[in-house]
Amino acid sequence: MNQEAPNYLILHSNRSSVILEWCATEAPLWRYWGARLLDGTTPPTRLRATRPTPPASLEFDQPLSIAPTFGNGWFGQSALLAHRDGQHFTQSWNNCAVTREKQNLCITLTDTIAKIRLVINMTLASATDMLEINSCLYNDGTDADEKLSIQWLAAATLPLPATSQRVNSYVGQWASEFQIQTDTLSRSIWRRENIRGRTSHDCFPAATVAISAQQNGPLYGAHLAWSGNHSQTIEWQHDGQYQWQLGEWLAPGEVQLQSGQYLQSPTVFAAFAPDGADSLAHCYHATLRALMPWRDGVIPPRPVHLNTWEAVYFDHNEADLMALATAAADVGVERFVLDDGWFHARNNDTAGLGDWWADKKKYPQGLAPLAHHVIAKGMSFGLWVEPEMVNPDSELFRAHPDWAFQISGRPIVTGRNQLVLDLTNETVENYLFDCLSALLTTLPISYLKWDMNRDITHAGTRHAGATHGRKESAAYSAYVHALYRLLARIRAAFPKLEIESCASGGGRIDYAILRYTHRVWVSDCNDALARLTIQQAALQWLPPEIIGSHVGTAPAHTTGRSQSLAFRAAVALAGHFGLEMDVRKLSSTERLELAEWIRLYRSLRDTLHQAQVWRGDAGDGIVWQVHSNSQKKDAAYILCIYRIRPTMQRWSPSITLAMLDDQCRYVIENLTPSQDKVYEFDKTPVDGAWLKQSGLPLPRMTAESALIIRLIAENHTATKLSN
């Protein structure tokens, strides 16, 4: 047993601390991750000194480390499962070296017997409280040694306290993403696993863990920044605590490292918040904003966005689309995006994918006349593409059937009548880059809606040299890395271009894809009532300015339900506002009303976006969210109130606004556009302390209606609503 004096690796941020117990002959042990400790605080003694050997146990204790390994007395989930042709199936770190630079720890673990090396990078950001961890495994064997086969490598192993009670994760399906699933933690293993080849509609790679029954009690969160297969596990330990592992799920035989090769894990973004879900969301929003690829690091105002999909589907007519663009500009749209149906032989979803040139029958002169018409109307022009896919009925597939993922002897499995192109094939990547470059060079395109409409099956490489030269070896991981390379090439060649990540709605959303993209489409569902639930859950991880949120038609195409234009617009207002409709079909009264909502969005987007967001449920069918941008001079709060069902009370509940300043008095203004008389609040300033504790009383509201309210400190002047 190691008797040397303990050393501690300590990281502090504004509101959290990490302590590892370190010695040179094993992996550092987790001692603490949680609320901020006072500077100089350390454990009183070594961890093993506090743990007498229980009956019927091994005589060497194996506490939770940052990289527990199989076969040497650790009986929980291992951070690594690997072998060399059946040999060296156990691992044990017998050397540990640490380098530190400010808030970063680089921990190098070596197993000299198995000839492997694991480098773990851990950074705790002072301002955001975000703990970033990733792992990189090296095969240090010689050419004479067998290749190293990897079954599992945890990107991070995290500790959770014994008081952990429940875990919230995200389930769903197409048009019903980000549905919260709550499970009680116990001695049974909690596990979520996704093998769909993308992050999926049903298994967003993140979760939160509550350690208190209080609504705004302490909360842990973790997100795996990875756009492919993934797994996370929470496992009870015999000291009553839990370990939480997250990482990439690997297919059989997918990763086999030759001498000198390495496997880099995705990054885990983990955070502790002492005061609830909104506080945790603020950590994640600040982190993601810094990661995203905004030009010069500045997020421009998010333009009002019209997408043509639900307006015309595949029925493209150049004159009609020009008329639609004119009508869109008239109500205040700033970006016009031409969706699916514009390219060669694309009359439905059975043909054309892969043939990325304008359909001659629909667009005899190409897309240029429509694009220039859009720009002449004062809007920017965007285009839908699905580069990763091919239809069997396409010129591309007829010429190169071997470019699509297939497995010899297995039947072809299509989804939405399409196959997945093997992006790991350099020839395929170059073809797609050339197709997209031709469009972006010859047309004034400033925005791509990049879609991906199926799960991945039969991901076996078929070209020489891929995945260490093995024919038809699994390539799920290599595919994701190839996608990142293609996106990086496009962004480098066209740095002004913005890209939306769409995958049948919310099928591919994570912090890795968002290093290359600027917006997400969280769901194909534009039913405002369903959308409200989806958006409020997505806000746990995504800031409002990147959540595409559109006013759809009534009835909604995905649910058949109808809501008023005002309710649909109020729900869309809270994200990146857009339209998914043919505005020509609105009555003149509806067009005027829609234009009013667009003017409201354009006047408020600097407060709604790049803001802190708080969410709440007042009871009796009322939910709400507050946005406030601390960079704005007027110190305004925008309160969006939604009644989602009929009231069961004579008087509506009040909304307590804990984010307000006790020392301020607030003027309350109803900004809700309406053709009818709206409820007006008393203009007398109200004490912030009163609004925090007693709350803001609400008028009686009908089901599926909304109020948009501005609260502004009385010593500030509100920004005038303008176009």
Side-chain angles (χ1 to χ4, degrees):
M1 181 179 293
N2 190 336
Q3 296 292 339
E4 67 179 76
N7 292 299
Y8 297 110
L9 303 172
I10 300 175
L11 297 172
H12 294 301
S13 65
N14 285 342
R15 300 193 304 166
S16 64
S17 297
V18 165
I19 299 181
L20 302 174
E21 182 179 314
W22 169 70
C23 73
T25 57
E26 65 177 336
L29 305 179
W30 274 110
R31 296 303 306 269
Y32 182 81
W33 175 41
R36 177 66 153 88
L37 301 173
L38 294 176
D39 289 351
T41 302
T42 60
T45 186
R46 297 173 66 254
L47 178 56
R48 289 187 176 95
T50 69
R51 295 159 61 106
T53 302
S57 298
L58 298 178
E59 294 172 358
F60 181 66
D61 183 23
Q62 293 278 20
L64 179 64
S65 75
I66 62 170
T69 54
F70 169 73
N72 288 286
W74 172 257
F75 297 112
Q77 170 88 6
S78 175
L80 173 65
L81 295 173
H83 64 92
R84 295 185 188 275
D85 194 24
Q87 305 299 306
H88 297 298
F89 58 88
T90 69
Q91 298 86 35
S92 182
W93 312 115
N94 49 29
N95 182 271
C96 176
V98 179
T99 59
R100 177 168 185 163
E101 183 177 351
K102 297 181 179 179
Q103 291 292 101
N104 173 258
L105 297 174
C106 181
I107 301 168
T108 301
L109 305 173
T110 305
D111 182 340
T112 57
I113 304 300
K115 298 181 182 178
I116 58 175
R117 177 167 38 103
L118 182 66
V119 178
I120 298 175
N121 278 290
M122 179 183 299
T123 301
L124 182 61
S126 298
T128 63
D129 302 300
M130 188 61 66
L131 181 63
E132 297 181 33
I133 308 179
N134 59 61
S135 303
C136 189
L137 182 69
Y138 293 82
N139 180 3
D140 287 341
T142 66
D143 290 336
D145 294 311
E146 293 287 343
K147 59 184 175 288
L148 187 68
S149 299
I150 312 298
Q151 179 182 337
W152 167 251
L153 174 64
T157 298
L158 301 167
L160 291 170
T163 52
S164 299
Q165 295 185 3
R166 62 191 182 278
V167 55
N168 280 350
S169 60
Y170 300 85
V171 300
Q173 61 175 348
W174 174 78
S176 185
E177 298 89 335
F178 284 98
Q179 305 301 306
I180 296 176
Q181 168 77 31
T182 301
D183 295 303
T184 300
L185 290 175
S186 69
R187 292 178 71 143
S188 298
I189 289 178
W190 179 89
R191 184 175 178 86
R192 293 298 312 276
E193 187 171 275
N194 167 61
I195 55 173
R196 293 179 177 271
R198 53 183 179 173
T199 53
S200 87
H201 299 81
D202 184 53
C203 198
F204 180 69
T208 63
V209 174
I211 61 174
S212 165
Q214 297 176 345
Q215 183 176 359
N216 292 314
L219 201 65
Y220 290 87
H223 167 70
L224 182 74
W226 179 243
S227 309
N229 296 333
H230 58 266
S231 177
Q232 58 173 322
T233 300
I234 300 177
E235 181 184 39
W236 183 84
Q237 304 299 304
H238 276 271
D239 58 5
Q241 300 184 81
Y242 295 84
Q243 70 152 332
W244 190 359
Q245 285 189 12
L246 303 95
E248 179 185 3
W249 185 94
L250 299 172
E254 183 163 16
V255 177
Q256 299 187 50
L257 302 181
Q258 304 291 343
S259 175
Q261 292 183 326
Y262 63 89
L263 173 63
Q264 174 66 60
S265 82
T267 295
V268 169
F269 292 87
F272 169 80
D275 44 8
D278 290 329
S279 176
L280 187 69
H282 299 164
C283 300
Y284 279 94
H285 293 182
T287 298
L288 183 56
R289 285 168 176 147
L291 285 174
M292 291 182 66
W294 301 106
R295 197 173 185 214
D296 301 323
V298 177
I299 307 176
R302 301 290 76 216
V304 179
H305 184 112
L306 183 139
N307 192 67
T308 65
W309 178 240
E310 291 192 3
V312 299
Y313 290 105
F314 295 107
D315 187 16
H316 285 218
N317 176 281
E318 187 177 71
D320 282 349
L321 284 161
M322 286 184 177
L324 176 58
T326 298
D330 288 345
V331 296
V333 169
E334 298 164 300
R335 174 188 285 154
F336 184 91
V337 180
L338 185 66
D339 208 289
D340 195 359
W342 61 267
F343 49 95
H344 176 65
R346 188 66 165 176
N347 298 312
N348 51 53
D349 66 8
T350 66
L353 282 175
D355 302 340
W356 297 111
W357 56 88
D359 185 85
K360 293 296 184 182
K361 294 180 180 179
K362 298 177 183 179
Y363 299 96
Q365 301 176 65
L367 296 180
L370 175 61
H372 289 299
H373 175 79
V374 166
I375 290 170
K377 291 298 179 181
M379 300 179 290
S380 61
F381 181 68
L383 191 66
W384 179 96
V385 292
E386 193 174 5
E388 302 159 69
M389 300 294 154
V390 63
N391 286 123
D393 184 5
S394 66
E395 301 299 330
L396 179 64
F397 188 79
R398 282 185 282 272
H400 302 287
D402 57 315
W403 284 10
F405 274 144
Q406 301 169 60
I407 297 292
S408 298
R410 302 297 182 188
I412 291 177
V413 177
T414 56
R416 202 183 183 233
N417 304 295
Q418 60 198 51
L419 299 172
V420 183
L421 289 170
D422 181 2
L423 299 190
T424 70
N425 184 336
E426 186 177 356
T427 304
V428 175
E429 179 189 327
N430 288 338
Y431 170 80
L432 295 176
F433 178 80
D434 290 344
C435 287
L436 295 173
S437 295
L439 291 167
L440 294 167
T441 301
T442 59
L443 293 167
I445 298 169
S446 60
Y447 183 89
L448 286 181
K449 180 182 178 183
W450 188 301
D451 211 341
M452 196 269 198
N453 277 302
R454 62 156 289 174
D455 296 328
I456 298 177
T457 58
H458 293 165
T461 56
R462 298 172 60 86
H463 57 99
T467 317
H468 316 307
R470 292 175 287 115
K471 185 179 179 182
E472 293 188 345
S473 55
Y476 295 91
S477 181
Y479 176 88
V480 176
H481 287 293
L483 170 65
Y484 295 159
R485 285 195 301 272
L486 178 58
L487 286 166
R489 286 180 68 184
I490 293 294
R491 287 202 37 76
F494 303 95
K496 295 182 181 180
L497 179 71
E498 289 191 15
I499 302 175
E500 173 182 317
S501 176
C502 177
S504 299
R508 187 165 64 195
I509 299 173
D510 63 87
Y511 281 26
I513 201 72
L514 283 165
R515 290 180 182 270
Y516 307 97
T517 58
H518 305 82
R519 186 185 200 253
V520 296
W521 186 232
V522 292
S523 181
D524 282 342
C525 180
N526 286 309
D527 177 311
L529 197 60
R531 188 81 184 202
L532 181 60
T533 298
I534 293 168
Q535 289 178 186
Q536 287 212 329
L539 278 168
Q540 186 62 56
W541 311 97
L542 307 173
E545 63 269 15
I546 73 164
I547 298 176
S549 183
H550 293 182
V551 183
T553 59
H557 291 194
T558 53
T559 67
R561 294 191 303 197
S562 294
Q563 297 100 22
S564 69
L565 178 59
F567 188 71
R568 286 176 277 149
V571 171
L573 185 82
H576 179 183
F577 189 94
L579 309 179
E580 194 89 15
M581 62 167 62
D582 188 343
V583 294
R584 297 172 301 171
K585 295 180 179 179
L586 298 177
S587 69
S588 58
T589 300
E590 289 173 323
R591 288 199 202 188
L592 288 172
E593 184 180 4
L594 180 59
E596 284 296 313
W597 279 99
I598 289 173
R599 278 192 285 272
L600 179 64
Y601 167 79
R602 289 170 63 167
S603 70
L604 296 181
R605 60 186 161 194
D606 286 346
T607 302
L608 292 166
H609 297 165
Q610 302 182 61
Q612 289 188 314
V613 182
W614 296 263
R615 299 153 294 168
D617 186 334
D620 190 39
I622 289 178
V623 297
W624 55 268
Q625 62 192 67
V626 170
H627 297 232
S628 181
N629 187 339
S630 60
Q631 304 302 314
K632 288 279 289 177
K633 293 181 180 179
D634 61 13
Y637 293 84
I638 303 301
L639 170 60
C640 304
I641 303 168
Y642 306 98
R643 174 165 283 289
I644 60 176
R645 59 174 174 78
T647 181
M648 300 294 290
Q649 302 176 187
R650 290 181 180 271
W651 293 276
S652 296
S654 296
I655 294 177
T656 54
L657 301 170
M659 73 293 302
L660 300 184
D661 188 340
D662 282 328
Q663 305 302 315
C664 288
R665 291 164 59 82
Y666 293 89
V667 176
I668 303 169
E669 181 182 8
N670 186 356
L671 304 180
T672 314
S674 175
Q675 301 302 308
D676 303 317
K677 183 179 179 181
V678 297
Y679 179 85
E680 294 294 346
F681 290 89
D682 191 324
K683 297 299 184 183
T684 304
V686 181
D687 290 324
W690 181 262
L691 293 170
K692 289 179 69 171
Q693 302 300 328
S694 180
L696 176 70
L698 299 180
R700 191 174 181 89
M701 300 166 62
T702 58
E704 298 175 25
S705 65
L707 289 174
I708 309 300
I709 292 169
R710 176 163 57 189
L711 299 94
I712 190 163
E714 65 176 339
N715 57 330
H716 292 281
T717 302
T719 303
K720 183 180 179 181
L721 298 184
S722 65
N723 294 336

